[in-house]
């Protein structure tokens, strides 16, 4: 009996120990494996959009991806064109040799600049019409805005997310295009025959200007859509708005700089008497200078039929030299940032209007 009892007790004790060891090992191993797997999953998990950000991106993903894809293709094409141009310039001997002597050999590269600059100049209009105008007008027209307003998310957060994502896509796309276009143009920047720096083709497509112009156009289109609440009507009005912005901007570009005036006082009809201007300078105006320091229009005495009669007329008007007003190319960067700051300020005003309007009427 004692032997039997002892054996049973030992077996029972061993069974219990085995069960306890198994349970502990299973728990420990399971916890360790679970922790390890969880850490691995967290480490390998990619960041994903969620909440309102995911909703807005998904709603407008077709437009956003189209803009980014078009940007990538445009950048690739400009990089290719720059490579081709640099091969030509290296073989030609630029900058030791002026491109004025290249003739038609360089014309294909000038045409490429013109083609791309026209396309880049249309970006503010296109994005204002097809991205800005429908951004909120579509939601107001089809009732999505009311559905969003009924959720736990506030209208302010919804509006902020919409504007932030649209603005981010605009800034990234236009900023990259501006940087690459400027990089492409930089080797021939001083060649007026390629592109004049004060022209809209160069000034509006480099630096911060394209970003500022496009942001104003897009957010202006958003504001128009919020007020009109009809997508098609908002797109039509936004088209007119963006065109007017482009025209006003092109007209006022010159006034962003500080004009420099240079004068002479040794006559106007001889050789080498016209003032010498820096390379690439943009001439704003030219006039005659009289002995008393007054200015006379350059068309003075233009009706004279002979050189002798013109000289007599100039002497009678006491013309002693030239006065030329110009903008040096060195001011381009400062003019661009000054103008862009004005456009950014206008854009900030439009955004403020959207938030003030959106508190009560964004449903």
């Amino acid at each position: 009996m004692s032997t039997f009892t002892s054996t049973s007790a030992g077996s029972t004790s061993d069974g219990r120990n085995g069960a306890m060891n198994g349970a502990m090992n299973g728990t420990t191993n399971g916890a360790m494996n679970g922790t390890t797997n969880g850490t691995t999953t967290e480490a390998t998990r990619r960041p994903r959009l969620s909440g309102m950000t995911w909703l807005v991106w998904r709603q407008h993903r077709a437009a956003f991806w189209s803009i980014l894809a078009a940007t990538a293709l445009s950048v690739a094409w400009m990089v290719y064109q720059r490579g081709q141009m640099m091969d030509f310039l290296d073989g030609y001997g630029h900058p030791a040799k002026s491109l004025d002597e290249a003739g038609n050999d360089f014309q294909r590269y000038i045409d490429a600049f013109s083609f791309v600059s026209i396309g880049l100049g249309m970006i503010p209009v296109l994005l204002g019409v097809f991205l800005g105008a429908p951004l909120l007008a579509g939601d107001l027209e089809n009732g999505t805005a009311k559905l969003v307003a009924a959720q736990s998310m506030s209208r302010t957060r919804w509006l902020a997310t919409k504007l932030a994502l649209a603005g981010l896509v605009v800034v990234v796309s236009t900023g990259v295009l501006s940087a690459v276009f400027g990089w492409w143009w930089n080797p021939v920047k001083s060649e007026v025959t390629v592109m004049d720096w004060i022209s809209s083709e160069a000034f509006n497509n480099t630096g911060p200007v394209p970003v500022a112009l496009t942001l104003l156009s897009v957010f202006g289109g958003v504001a128009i859509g919020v007020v009109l609440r009809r997508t098609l009507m908002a797109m039509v009005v936004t088209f007119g708005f963006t065109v007017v912005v482009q025209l006003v901007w092109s007209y006022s570009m010159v006034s962003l700089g500080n004009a420099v005036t240079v004068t002479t006082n040794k006559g106007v009809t001889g050789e080498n008497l016209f003032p010498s201007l820096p390379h690439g300078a943009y001439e704003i105006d030219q006039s005659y200078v009289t002995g008393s320091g007054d200015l006379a229009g350059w068309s003075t005495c233009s009706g004279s039929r002979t050189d002798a009669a013109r000289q007599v007329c100039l002497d009678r008007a006491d013309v002693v030299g030239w006065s030329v007003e110009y903008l040096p190319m060195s001011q381009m960067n400062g003019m661009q940032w000054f103008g862009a700051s004005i456009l950014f300020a206008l854009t900030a005003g439009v955004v403020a209007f959207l938030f003030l309007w959106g508190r009560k009427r964004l449903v």
Side-chain angles (χ1 to χ4, degrees):
M1 291 290 294
S2 60
T3 303
F4 178 78
T5 305
S6 176
T7 303
S8 301
S11 300
T12 304
S13 176
D14 292 341
R16 289 179 179 177
N17 291 336
M20 292 174 63
N21 291 334
M24 291 176 64
N25 291 335
T27 303
T28 304
N29 292 336
M32 292 178 63
N33 292 335
T35 303
T36 303
N37 293 336
T39 304
T40 304
T41 303
E42 291 293 334
T44 58
R45 183 181 297 169
R46 298 179 180 178
R48 294 181 179 180
L49 299 178
S50 61
M52 185 61 68
T53 306
W54 175 86
L55 176 63
V56 173
W57 178 270
R58 184 171 179 81
Q59 184 182 10
H60 302 285
R61 65 186 183 279
F64 292 158
W65 280 121
S66 297
I67 293 171
L68 295 176
T71 300
L73 291 175
S74 300
V75 167
W77 196 82
M78 285 190 285
V79 170
Y80 170 76
Q81 288 295 325
R82 187 184 190 275
Q84 295 292 308
M85 183 187 73
M86 293 304 298
D87 290 341
F88 174 84
L89 294 178
D90 292 340
Y92 179 74
H94 184 270
K97 291 177 61 177
S98 174
L99 290 178
D100 294 338
E101 304 173 6
N104 294 329
D105 295 337
F106 195 73
Q107 186 61 42
R108 61 185 291 259
Y109 303 104
I110 297 177
D111 294 339
F113 276 114
S114 300
F115 173 75
V116 174
S117 63
I118 292 174
L120 295 180
M122 295 175 62
I123 289 178
V125 178
L126 293 176
L127 293 189
V129 172
F130 293 102
L131 177 63
L135 193 69
L136 292 176
D139 294 333
L140 294 171
E141 185 176 12
N142 58 31
T144 307
K146 293 182 179 180
L147 178 62
V148 173
Q151 306 304 314
S152 59
M153 297 295 181
S154 64
R155 285 176 289 182
T156 301
R157 183 176 177 182
W158 175 57
L159 175 60
T161 306
K162 283 249 185 182
L163 296 181
L165 277 180
L168 178 62
V169 172
V170 168
V171 170
V172 169
S173 59
T174 55
V176 169
L177 290 173
S178 171
V180 175
F181 185 76
W183 173 66
W184 176 21
W185 176 50
N186 190 64
V188 292
K189 188 175 182 178
S190 59
E191 300 289 342
V192 181
T193 56
V194 178
M195 275 196 312
D196 193 356
W197 68 271
I198 197 63
S199 66
S200 59
E201 289 80 6
F203 194 88
N204 293 347
N205 293 326
T206 57
V209 174
V211 179
L213 271 175
T214 309
L215 278 178
L216 178 59
S217 300
V218 170
F219 287 163
V222 174
I224 292 171
V226 168
V227 174
L228 297 180
R229 307 173 72 91
R230 294 292 182 271
T231 302
L232 183 58
M233 185 183 302
M235 294 174 69
V236 173
V237 176
T238 299
F239 176 79
F241 167 76
T242 53
V243 170
V244 170
V245 168
Q246 294 271 24
L247 292 176
V248 173
W249 172 256
S250 299
Y251 179 78
S252 59
M253 281 192 313
V254 176
S255 62
L256 298 173
N258 297 317
V260 179
T261 302
V262 60
T263 60
T264 60
N265 59 0
K266 297 181 180 180
V268 296
T269 58
E271 295 183 0
N272 301 322
L273 295 179
F274 193 81
S276 178
L277 303 182
H279 182 70
Y282 173 72
E283 185 177 313
I284 300 175
D285 192 17
Q286 59 177 256
S287 307
Y288 289 137
V289 178
T290 64
S292 61
D294 296 330
L295 299 180
W298 62 268
S299 60
T300 302
C301 303
S302 60
S304 302
R305 295 185 177 181
T306 63
D307 292 340
R310 180 169 178 266
Q311 186 61 54
V312 171
C313 177
L314 292 174
D315 293 339
R316 189 182 301 116
D318 194 24
V319 172
V320 296
W322 291 100
S323 175
V324 179
E325 189 177 14
Y326 69 93
L327 288 173
M329 190 177 183
S330 59
Q331 292 191 16
M332 179 180 180
N333 191 49
M335 291 171 62
Q336 286 181 317
W337 278 105
F338 177 57
S341 65
I342 297 175
L343 295 174
F344 285 136
L346 293 174
T347 303
V350 174
V351 173
F353 164 78
L354 284 169
F355 278 101
L356 293 174
W357 183 281
R359 287 183 178 181
K360 297 181 180 180
R361 305 188 181 184
L362 201 58
V363 289

